[in-house]
Amino acid sequence: MSEEIEVTINVTGEEAVKILNAKEQEITYLKNEIARLSQQTQHSEPQLTIPKSIADLLDKFIEFYFDDVGHEDWWIQENGLIEWFSKTPNCYIKDAYLAGKALGVDLVKVVEG
């Protein structure tokens, strides 16, 4: 629930100009920060890596519909991924790779292997 509140502030023309200039400087600063951060994220490379062979299998994995509990584990075991997943931090890298796929961003760099 929101209420409208009317506030009247009496300021001189000079004070109003100072306030507007300060706000304008804040807006300019924020715009520059957004541009800088946007440029920084566009040029940053993912720090995590995953072998292409594993990424290809994970890409196939997310295409499957598993209608029963445990079928995912069977598929992972049958495709030889359990050995790779069981090594820390690979299990977390797998999650980051899949999350990046879901979000449409590259969180993990795919490398040859």
Side-chain angles (χ1 to χ4, degrees):
M1 186 156 110
S2 66
E3 292 183 32
E4 285 189 32
I5 299 173
E6 188 174 316
V7 177
T8 304
I9 301 173
N10 293 321
V11 294
T12 65
E14 189 176 305
E15 291 171 324
V17 169
K18 285 180 183 179
I19 292 169
L20 289 174
N21 284 339
K23 291 299 176 190
E24 194 172 281
Q25 287 176 349
E26 286 179 36
I27 291 170
T28 301
Y29 172 78
L30 291 173
K31 283 181 180 178
N32 289 338
E33 273 301 291
I34 291 169
R36 183 184 67 78
L37 292 171
S38 176
Q39 188 177 34
Q40 191 177 42
T41 55
Q42 288 175 357
H43 297 306
S44 63
E45 289 288 321
Q47 299 298 312
L48 301 172
T49 60
I50 191 169
K52 183 171 178 9
S53 59
I54 301 295
D56 289 344
L57 286 171
L58 288 173
D59 291 342
K60 288 180 186 175
F61 176 76
I62 59 178
E63 293 174 8
F64 281 96
Y65 171 74
F66 297 103
D67 58 357
D68 198 8
V69 174
H71 287 174
E72 297 97 339
D73 293 335
W74 171 84
W75 193 93
I76 289 167
Q77 183 72 38
E78 283 295 307
N79 285 280
L81 290 172
I82 197 71
E83 293 168 14
W84 192 83
F85 286 178
S86 65
K87 297 175 186 169
T88 304
N90 292 349
C91 57
Y92 305 115
I93 293 173
K94 169 216 24 134
D95 293 340
Y97 176 78
L98 293 173
K101 283 292 212 179
L103 295 170
V105 296
D106 292 328
L107 298 176
V108 179
K109 183 177 182 177
V110 177
V111 296
E112 288 304 314

